[in-house]
Amino acid sequence: MTRLPFAAWLRHDLFRYFAASVLALLADLGTLSACLRLLHFSLGWSASIGFAVGALVAYLLSIRWVFRQRAFADAPAVEFLAFVGIGITGLGITQLLLWLGVVKLHLLPELVKLAAAVVTFVFNYLVRKTLLFAASQGALLTS
């Protein structure tokens, strides 16, 4: 098995997607905290605004830095809505895994959340890369 040198890993879109996800999470968390503590918004509103800001950061980093090809570059609204829809599906997967792990299997919520985060990260990356950031999908809009 050939090992990639560290510099090659830094150029790989999986590493860049991971870094973008961390930055998006920080934006989400920072927005949530600012909305709660500075603006005194409710938890629900704060979480929703944080999710939206995090999704926007993840999307912008994905189209500008992470991925080199965009299947729907000519339709950015469609691309963004699909990007967010995939993220919401990932959130649903997280919720399902938390319910199964905590409610049905009586596992520690934190451990289940960590496992769910890995599953969701892989799901989001693979689906977004396959559907949104592959050159061959562009024909879907023109047909």
Side-chain angles (χ1 to χ4, degrees):
M1 182 166 134
T2 305
R3 297 181 72 187
L4 286 175
F6 184 69
W9 273 110
L10 293 178
R11 291 188 304 271
H12 194 278
D13 63 12
L14 180 59
F15 174 82
R16 290 192 310 257
Y17 186 79
F18 177 76
S21 295
V22 169
L23 292 172
L25 175 62
L26 292 174
D28 181 339
L29 184 61
T31 302
L32 171 106
S33 183
C35 287
L36 280 173
R37 305 201 184 284
L38 300 176
L39 301 175
H40 306 289
F41 289 178
S42 70
L43 179 60
W45 278 108
S46 298
S48 298
I49 294 168
F51 179 85
V53 169
L56 183 60
V57 168
Y59 174 71
L60 291 173
L61 287 171
S62 290
I63 65 171
R64 304 264 187 229
W65 181 58
V66 175
F67 298 107
R68 294 182 186 359
Q69 298 173 324
R70 294 172 61 191
F72 300 103
D74 294 336
V78 170
E79 182 181 62
F80 179 71
L81 289 174
F83 188 92
V84 171
I86 293 165
I88 291 170
T89 303
L91 179 61
I93 291 169
T94 296
Q95 294 290 350
L96 175 64
L97 292 174
L98 281 167
W99 176 77
L100 285 171
V102 176
V103 175
K104 294 297 183 184
L105 300 175
H106 307 288
L107 300 172
L108 290 173
E110 294 83 0
L111 293 177
V112 176
K113 174 61 177 171
L114 286 174
V118 171
V119 170
T120 301
F121 173 81
V122 171
F123 170 82
N124 286 342
Y125 171 76
L126 291 175
V127 174
R128 285 173 173 161
K129 182 170 174 72
T130 302
L131 296 181
L132 300 178
F133 301 110
S136 62
Q137 296 293 321
L140 290 176
L141 272 186
T142 59
S143 52

